[in-house]
Amino acid sequence: MLTAWFRMKYPHVVAGGIAASAPILQFNTSCEAFSAIVTRDFEKANQYCAPAIRQGILLLNKLAEKDPVQIGLLFHVCQPSDVPQLVGWFQAILGYMAMVDYPYPASFLEPLPSWPIKVTCEPLNKPLSSWTELELVKAMADVAFLYMNYTGEAKCVNTSKFAYKGLGNSGWNYQDAL
Protein backbone atom coordinates (compact mmCIF):
# COMPACT_ATOMS: atom_id res chain seq x y z
CA MET A 1 0.00 0.00 0.00
CA LEU A 2 2.86 2.38 0.74
CA THR A 3 4.20 1.84 -2.76
CA ALA A 4 0.85 2.79 -4.32
CA TRP A 5 0.42 5.84 -2.11
CA PHE A 6 3.96 7.01 -2.83
CA ARG A 7 3.27 6.67 -6.56
CA MET A 8 0.00 8.61 -6.21
CA LYS A 9 1.67 11.38 -4.18
CA TYR A 10 4.79 11.70 -6.37
CA PRO A 11 3.86 10.55 -9.89
CA HIS A 12 6.61 12.72 -11.39
CA VAL A 13 9.29 10.88 -9.35
CA VAL A 14 8.06 7.26 -9.35
CA ALA A 15 7.40 5.31 -12.52
CA GLY A 16 6.28 2.17 -10.73
CA GLY A 17 6.82 -0.02 -7.73
CA ILE A 18 6.71 -3.56 -6.48
CA ALA A 19 4.56 -4.42 -3.50
CA ALA A 20 3.13 -7.46 -1.77
CA SER A 21 -0.62 -7.89 -1.69
CA ALA A 22 -2.17 -4.76 -0.27
CA PRO A 23 -5.77 -3.53 -0.18
CA ILE A 24 -5.13 -0.06 -1.58
CA LEU A 25 -8.64 1.22 -0.86
CA GLN A 26 -8.83 -0.39 2.59
CA PHE A 27 -8.60 3.05 4.22
CA ASN A 28 -12.18 3.69 3.02
CA THR A 29 -13.45 0.53 4.74
CA SER A 30 -14.47 0.08 8.36
CA CYS A 31 -12.05 -1.67 10.67
CA GLU A 32 -14.61 -4.43 11.25
CA ALA A 33 -15.01 -5.27 7.54
CA PHE A 34 -12.56 -8.19 7.59
CA SER A 35 -14.18 -9.73 10.67
CA ALA A 36 -17.62 -9.32 9.10
CA ILE A 37 -16.48 -11.15 5.96
CA VAL A 38 -14.92 -13.97 8.00
CA THR A 39 -18.12 -14.27 10.05
CA ARG A 40 -20.19 -14.39 6.86
CA ASP A 41 -18.03 -17.27 5.58
CA PHE A 42 -18.82 -19.28 8.71
CA GLU A 43 -22.52 -18.31 8.55
CA LYS A 44 -22.73 -19.66 5.00
CA ALA A 45 -21.54 -23.09 6.17
CA ASN A 46 -24.61 -23.56 8.38
CA GLN A 47 -26.91 -21.41 10.47
CA TYR A 48 -25.50 -22.54 13.82
CA CYS A 49 -21.78 -22.34 13.14
CA ALA A 50 -21.04 -18.63 13.61
CA PRO A 51 -23.22 -18.30 16.75
CA ALA A 52 -21.55 -21.39 18.25
CA ILE A 53 -18.09 -19.98 17.56
CA ARG A 54 -19.08 -16.55 18.88
CA GLN A 55 -20.40 -18.11 22.11
CA GLY A 56 -17.38 -20.42 22.27
CA ILE A 57 -15.02 -17.43 22.15
CA LEU A 58 -16.92 -15.78 25.02
CA LEU A 59 -16.63 -18.99 27.02
CA LEU A 60 -12.93 -19.27 26.23
CA ASN A 61 -12.40 -15.76 27.54
CA LYS A 62 -14.24 -16.59 30.74
CA LEU A 63 -12.71 -20.01 31.33
CA ALA A 64 -9.15 -19.01 30.37
CA GLU A 65 -9.21 -16.64 33.34
CA LYS A 66 -11.19 -18.92 35.67
CA ASP A 67 -9.49 -22.25 34.96
CA PRO A 68 -6.46 -21.82 32.66
CA VAL A 69 -5.17 -25.31 33.49
CA GLN A 70 -8.29 -27.04 32.15
CA ILE A 71 -8.32 -24.87 29.02
CA GLY A 72 -4.62 -25.59 28.50
CA LEU A 73 -5.30 -29.32 28.73
CA LEU A 74 -8.30 -29.18 26.36
CA PHE A 75 -6.33 -27.24 23.76
CA HIS A 76 -3.07 -29.17 24.31
CA VAL A 77 -1.08 -25.95 24.64
CA CYS A 78 2.68 -26.44 24.68
CA GLN A 79 3.25 -24.17 27.67
CA PRO A 80 0.81 -23.10 30.40
CA SER A 81 1.91 -19.54 29.63
CA ASP A 82 0.26 -19.97 26.19
CA VAL A 83 -3.27 -19.89 27.67
CA PRO A 84 -3.56 -16.05 27.99
CA GLN A 85 -2.92 -15.69 24.24
CA LEU A 86 -5.33 -18.49 23.37
CA VAL A 87 -8.40 -16.39 22.56
CA GLY A 88 -6.57 -13.95 20.28
CA TRP A 89 -4.73 -16.84 18.64
CA PHE A 90 -8.03 -18.68 18.13
CA GLN A 91 -9.66 -15.65 16.51
CA ALA A 92 -6.64 -15.22 14.24
CA ILE A 93 -6.76 -18.82 13.01
CA LEU A 94 -10.44 -18.38 12.15
CA GLY A 95 -9.39 -15.52 9.87
CA TYR A 96 -6.59 -17.58 8.37
CA MET A 97 -9.00 -20.45 7.80
CA ALA A 98 -11.31 -18.10 5.87
CA MET A 99 -8.37 -16.92 3.76
CA VAL A 100 -7.46 -20.48 2.75
CA ASP A 101 -10.99 -21.87 2.36
CA TYR A 102 -10.10 -23.55 -0.91
CA PRO A 103 -12.19 -26.25 -2.66
CA TYR A 104 -9.18 -28.58 -2.55
CA PRO A 105 -6.78 -29.73 0.18
CA ALA A 106 -3.98 -27.22 0.65
CA SER A 107 -1.03 -26.60 2.90
CA PHE A 108 -0.41 -22.91 2.22
CA LEU A 109 -0.26 -22.06 5.94
CA GLU A 110 -1.12 -25.43 7.46
CA PRO A 111 -2.26 -28.73 5.94
CA LEU A 112 -6.04 -28.39 5.66
CA PRO A 113 -8.83 -30.34 4.00
CA SER A 114 -10.81 -28.94 1.11
CA TRP A 115 -13.36 -26.37 2.30
CA PRO A 116 -11.97 -26.19 5.86
CA ILE A 117 -14.77 -23.89 7.03
CA LYS A 118 -17.40 -26.40 5.94
CA VAL A 119 -15.48 -29.19 7.72
CA THR A 120 -15.16 -27.00 10.82
CA CYS A 121 -18.86 -26.19 10.89
CA GLU A 122 -20.22 -29.71 10.34
CA PRO A 123 -19.99 -30.73 14.02
CA LEU A 124 -21.29 -27.29 15.10
CA ASN A 125 -24.60 -27.80 13.29
CA LYS A 126 -26.92 -27.66 16.29
CA PRO A 127 -28.63 -24.86 18.23
CA LEU A 128 -26.72 -23.11 21.02
CA SER A 129 -29.32 -24.25 23.56
CA SER A 130 -28.25 -27.87 23.01
CA TRP A 131 -24.61 -27.30 24.06
CA THR A 132 -23.20 -27.53 27.55
CA GLU A 133 -20.36 -25.12 28.29
CA LEU A 134 -17.83 -27.95 28.35
CA GLU A 135 -19.08 -29.41 25.04
CA LEU A 136 -18.82 -26.02 23.36
CA VAL A 137 -15.29 -25.39 24.63
CA LYS A 138 -14.26 -28.89 23.47
CA ALA A 139 -15.79 -28.08 20.07
CA MET A 140 -13.65 -24.91 19.92
CA ALA A 141 -10.59 -27.05 20.70
CA ASP A 142 -11.59 -29.31 17.79
CA VAL A 143 -11.78 -26.23 15.53
CA ALA A 144 -8.26 -25.28 16.63
CA PHE A 145 -7.00 -28.83 16.02
CA LEU A 146 -8.45 -28.83 12.52
CA TYR A 147 -6.31 -25.82 11.71
CA MET A 148 -3.14 -26.62 13.67
CA ASN A 149 -3.14 -30.41 13.68
CA TYR A 150 -5.21 -31.74 10.79
CA THR A 151 -2.49 -34.29 10.01
CA GLY A 152 -2.20 -35.34 13.66
CA GLU A 153 1.56 -34.71 13.71
CA ALA A 154 1.66 -31.87 16.26
CA LYS A 155 2.30 -32.90 19.87
CA CYS A 156 0.98 -29.63 21.28
CA VAL A 157 -0.32 -26.22 20.20
CA ASN A 158 1.97 -23.20 20.38
CA THR A 159 -0.24 -20.10 20.52
CA SER A 160 2.64 -17.85 19.50
CA LYS A 161 2.61 -19.45 16.03
CA PHE A 162 -0.13 -19.27 13.45
CA ALA A 163 1.51 -21.62 10.98
CA TYR A 164 4.08 -24.38 11.34
CA LYS A 165 4.41 -25.66 7.83
CA GLY A 166 4.01 -24.27 4.35
CA LEU A 167 4.56 -20.56 4.04
CA GLY A 168 4.62 -19.97 7.77
CA ASN A 169 3.60 -16.70 9.28
CA SER A 170 6.88 -14.79 9.37
CA GLY A 171 6.24 -13.23 5.96
CA TRP A 172 2.83 -11.92 6.99
CA ASN A 173 4.30 -9.62 9.62
CA TYR A 174 6.66 -8.12 7.07
CA GLN A 175 3.87 -7.60 4.55
CA ASP A 176 1.62 -6.09 7.22
CA ALA A 177 4.46 -3.69 8.10
CA LEU A 178 4.19 -4.75 11.74
Side-chain angles (χ1 to χ4, degrees), residues 53-109:
I53 290 174
R54 191 175 297 114
Q55 187 64 32
I57 289 171
L58 293 174
L59 276 172
L60 278 176
N61 269 322
K62 182 176 103 176
L63 296 175
E65 288 181 22
K66 183 179 171 185
D67 193 357
V69 173
Q70 181 183 13
I71 295 300
L73 291 171
L74 284 172
F75 278 80
H76 301 282
V77 294
C78 296
Q79 301 291 327
S81 60
D82 288 348
V83 173
Q85 297 99 255
L86 185 64
V87 175
W89 171 85
F90 184 76
Q91 290 173 310
I93 67 166
L94 294 172
Y96 287 133
M97 203 178 296
M99 286 189 263
V100 294
D101 194 30
Y102 302 134
Y104 48 84
S107 56
F108 179 64
L109 295 173

Side-chain angles (χ1 to χ4, degrees), residues 17-28:
I18 299 174
S21 61
I24 295 171
L25 300 177
Q26 181 67 33
F27 61 88
N28 289 332

Side-chain angles (χ1 to χ4, degrees), residues 5 10 17 30 62-63 81 132 168 170 173:
W5 279 0
Y10 304 104
S30 76
K62 182 176 103 176
L63 296 175
S81 60
T132 67
S170 57
N173 291 338

